[in-house]
Amino acid sequence: MKIKKGTIVLIIVCVIIVIIGIISMPNIYRMLNTNGVNISESNADKKDNSTKEEITMDSEFVKTLIYPVMHNDVSIIDNYYKNNSVTVADFSNNDILYNAFLNIYSGYITNDETISFDSNYLVSRIENIFGPKTGYNLIDFTVPSGSFSDYIGIFKYDTATKKYYFNRIDYSNGTIYYDVKKMYDASSPNENTINTSFDIAFVKIENGKYTLYRDYNYTDEISNGDYTNMESLENMLGTLDTKKYQYVFRKDTCNYDSYCFYEGKWINE
């Protein structure tokens, strides 16, 4: 079959184009790749800047933060606020265990003949509240009255079954000492940290009356009256001369995408 002259010319042109393309491909690839990376990075930066959530008191991350109990026994004045700053390293083994217990899902606690739960639930909560590097021992622990838990008493640890078993303790309902706080700010200095700031005061409740103090030693009185509930005391803090306290939560010490308690400290404003 005779090939037309025009067809031969077209084939030759196509072959030349292919050869030029093959020779030029490395340079074209480098140019496209460089431009593509720049464009991709630029778009990623714009996306990060446009989608990054500004942390406020209404942010979901802030609502899920877990605060350790700082005033363990409400029958006495002593509390962790006496320290300028507090980290999990300052907490006793008992305080680490019972703070974790307070956040165990209630469905994990059996209430048949005895009240008990598996210790692995406690371990999981410790790691999610304070971080996986927290030092502690699985031994007996006491849930104090300052926790306002339904399980005030002692949890005994059975090493054979790796379960905790509950023994209730009845506390007297006499004079109560506790801290009262209300958040006024939440911020994130970087993607690894969330800070929450509180107005804070200290209350003594006795015979249906409250006395509110500015200091953790319960000496500098700032208000008193008939006691109704903690919420009413919290709501008045913004109108009083209270001190300021900040909690710091960090992601790099925690599991998954959560923020763990890192530090509590007094701040000057």
Side-chain angles (χ1 to χ4, degrees):
M1 182 179 66
K2 185 177 181 180
I3 301 175
K4 295 181 180 180
K5 183 177 181 181
T7 303
I8 295 174
V9 172
L10 179 60
I11 293 173
I12 294 172
V13 170
C14 291
V15 171
I16 293 172
I17 291 174
V18 170
I19 293 172
I20 294 174
I22 293 173
I23 295 173
S24 304
M25 186 58 69
N27 293 329
I28 295 173
Y29 176 80
R30 282 194 294 270
M31 180 181 68
L32 291 176
N33 187 54
T34 301
N35 291 337
V37 169
N38 290 338
I39 293 172
S40 176
E41 289 178 350
S42 176
N43 289 337
D45 290 340
K46 290 179 180 178
K47 183 178 180 181
D48 288 343
N49 291 333
S50 62
T51 60
K52 183 179 179 180
E53 178 188 359
E54 180 183 357
I55 296 297
T56 69
M57 292 189 293
D58 296 323
S59 300
E60 288 304 313
F61 270 127
V62 173
K63 293 177 182 178
T64 60
L65 297 175
I66 298 176
Y67 298 85
V69 178
M70 304 286 276
H71 197 145
N72 296 314
D73 188 344
V74 295
S75 66
I76 60 177
I77 290 176
D78 189 50
N79 56 76
Y80 278 115
Y81 292 109
K82 64 186 179 183
N83 301 326
N84 288 330
S85 65
V86 173
T87 68
V88 66
D90 298 304
F91 292 156
S92 67
N93 191 77
N94 188 88
D95 294 344
I96 292 173
L97 296 183
Y98 94 74
N99 268 283
F101 167 75
L102 296 180
N103 292 279
I104 289 179
Y105 170 56
S106 59
Y108 294 152
I109 303 173
T110 61
N111 194 356
D112 300 326
E113 295 181 0
T114 59
I115 297 172
S116 65
F117 66 90
D118 292 334
S119 62
N120 62 300
Y121 297 130
L122 195 68
V123 172
S124 176
R125 298 313 295 150
I126 291 173
E127 294 184 354
N128 287 327
I129 296 172
F130 300 116
K133 294 183 179 180
T134 302
Y136 63 92
N137 294 309
L138 289 178
I139 57 177
D140 301 349
F141 68 90
T142 300
V143 180
S145 55
S147 64
F148 294 105
S149 170
D150 292 331
Y151 301 97
I152 304 299
I154 300 175
F155 276 93
K156 294 284 188 178
Y157 184 51
D158 187 331
T159 56
T161 61
K162 295 185 178 180
K163 285 180 175 288
Y164 276 96
Y165 295 90
F166 180 61
N167 294 317
R168 188 175 301 278
I169 296 178
D170 293 323
Y171 286 89
S172 61
N173 295 319
T175 303
I176 292 177
Y177 300 90
Y178 206 64
D179 55 283
V180 184
K181 57 182 180 287
K182 188 174 181 65
M183 189 188 303
Y184 67 86
D185 185 55
S187 62
S188 180
N190 55 66
E191 64 178 11
N192 182 57
T193 308
I194 292 179
N195 296 331
T196 56
S197 301
F198 290 80
D199 288 305
I200 189 166
F202 301 86
V203 62
K204 178 177 75 173
I205 302 172
E206 186 176 26
N207 299 323
K209 302 285 185 179
Y210 80 86
T211 305
L212 208 59
Y213 299 88
R214 188 171 184 268
D215 64 315
Y216 54 79
N217 289 319
Y218 294 78
T219 58
D220 186 5
E221 181 179 330
I222 53 178
S223 179
N224 64 75
D226 294 326
Y227 175 72
T228 53
N229 53 55
M230 284 291 183
E231 184 178 1
S232 63
L233 297 179
E234 292 171 2
N235 290 334
M236 72 169 63
L237 293 185
T239 65
L240 300 172
D241 181 23
T242 58
K243 291 185 176 181
K244 315 296 182 183
Y245 199 82
Q246 186 177 82
Y247 291 89
V248 180
F249 296 84
R250 285 175 48 167
K251 185 187 294 186
D252 62 347
T253 62
C254 214
N255 281 335
Y256 311 111
D257 199 32
S258 302
Y259 288 83
C260 284
F261 169 77
Y262 179 75
E263 183 183 25
K265 58 184 178 181
W266 292 104
I267 55 178
N268 297 320
E269 295 191 351

